[in-house]
Amino acid sequence: MTGPGSAGGAAPVVLVAHGSRDPRAADATRALARAVSAARPGTPVWASWLDHTEPGPTEVLRDLAVAGHRRAVLVPLLLTAAYHHRVDIPAAVAAAARSGPPLSVRVTDVLGPADDTPDPALLAGLCRRLGETRPGRFDALVLAAAGTRDARARRSVGRVADALGVEFGVPCRVAYASAAPPAAGVAVSRLRASGARRVAVSAYFLAPGLFHDAVTEAAGAAGAVAVAAPLTDAPELVELVLRRVDDRPVLASTG
């Protein structure tokens, strides 16, 4: 898909990723958009980015309105409800409303925990990616995330780590690639110092990039037995995106 197309049928779905200078990240978002489109025939699905990659969500929403669409569903491809969800995405929706024909936009929850409980599909996707590394038996786990200064967002990452630890029956600690301690290598080293012999790392990332590369290098240097790949277009992530599309709205804006 290369443009918004003409109106008619199901409301278009606009996926909004953070964006990265690393082209692998945009490729992963496009792959997810294709997978969501294949899983929901008849629903137009568009990828957009808040930074570094075009088009942005404002442009996509405006073009959809110009093409005759009157409603759209915007899904933030974010794992925590931090600054980008609270500020950048509402600003993009508002900018589209100011600069184009009327369009009713429903913004869904992020893909991370919308309440105290991580979605089973998210946990299943993390388990899939970890299993693909063939780590063998491990007795401790690190959930490595991008990082945020938002305390509520960090608590949501902690809830995912707790649920993942229960899933595997091992201690699971959080690590961050930026903005907050501990780093992945530090988390792995602490678990090993506390007696864990085989520590695996689950990647709480939607796409590859510099952060995931840094986690992989640091965790490996600290003795991790495996580092999982990002979620990218895992079937469970596709399921989660569609679940968000079908959920009731958390924010609505009408131009």
Side-chain angles (χ1 to χ4, degrees):
M1 294 182 178
T2 58
S6 59
V13 172
V14 181
L15 307 181
V16 185
H18 179 280
S20 169
R21 293 184 178 87
D22 192 316
R24 294 175 296 171
D27 288 344
T29 302
R30 295 186 188 101
L32 178 59
R34 290 192 296 269
V36 172
S37 180
R40 186 64 61 90
T43 298
V45 181
W46 309 106
S48 66
W49 294 265
L50 292 171
D51 202 4
H52 300 300
T53 305
E54 298 293 337
T58 296
E59 178 183 347
V60 173
L61 293 173
R62 185 171 54 236
D63 288 351
L64 287 169
V66 169
H69 293 279
R70 290 296 173 259
R71 57 196 176 94
V73 180
L74 187 153
V75 182
L77 299 183
L78 303 169
L79 291 171
T80 60
Y83 184 87
H84 297 299
H85 184 249
R86 296 196 316 270
V87 177
D88 289 341
I89 287 177
V93 173
R98 289 193 302 267
S99 59
L103 180 71
S104 177
V105 181
R106 175 164 66 85
V107 179
T108 76
D109 282 317
V110 298
L111 301 182
D115 50 29
D116 287 339
T117 306
D119 193 286
L122 177 61
L123 295 176
L126 294 170
C127 291
R128 170 191 289 272
R129 289 296 187 238
L130 188 59
E132 289 170 350
T133 68
R134 301 184 181 277
R137 293 181 62 85
F138 54 88
D139 53 6
L141 191 58
V142 171
L143 180 68
T148 174
R149 294 181 176 87
D150 188 300
R152 289 175 299 177
R154 291 197 302 273
R155 284 195 293 272
S156 78
V157 178
R159 289 194 289 272
V160 176
D162 290 343
L164 204 58
V166 170
E167 183 74 22
F168 286 102
V170 299
C172 184
R173 303 291 181 260
V174 174
Y176 297 104
S178 69
V186 172
V188 171
S189 294
R190 286 176 178 171
L191 285 167
R192 285 169 56 83
S194 68
R197 295 181 178 274
R198 294 178 59 82
V199 181
V201 178
S202 175
Y204 200 46
F205 296 93
L206 295 176
L210 297 179
F211 281 168
H212 183 260
D213 289 348
V215 164
T216 300
E217 181 177 357
V225 297
V227 178
L231 288 163
T232 59
D233 59 347
E236 296 83 0
L237 189 63
V238 173
E239 175 188 345
L240 178 53
V241 168
L242 290 174
R243 190 171 298 166
R244 290 292 186 257
V245 170
D246 295 336
D247 279 348
R248 64 181 178 84
V250 295
L251 178 152
S253 174
T254 303

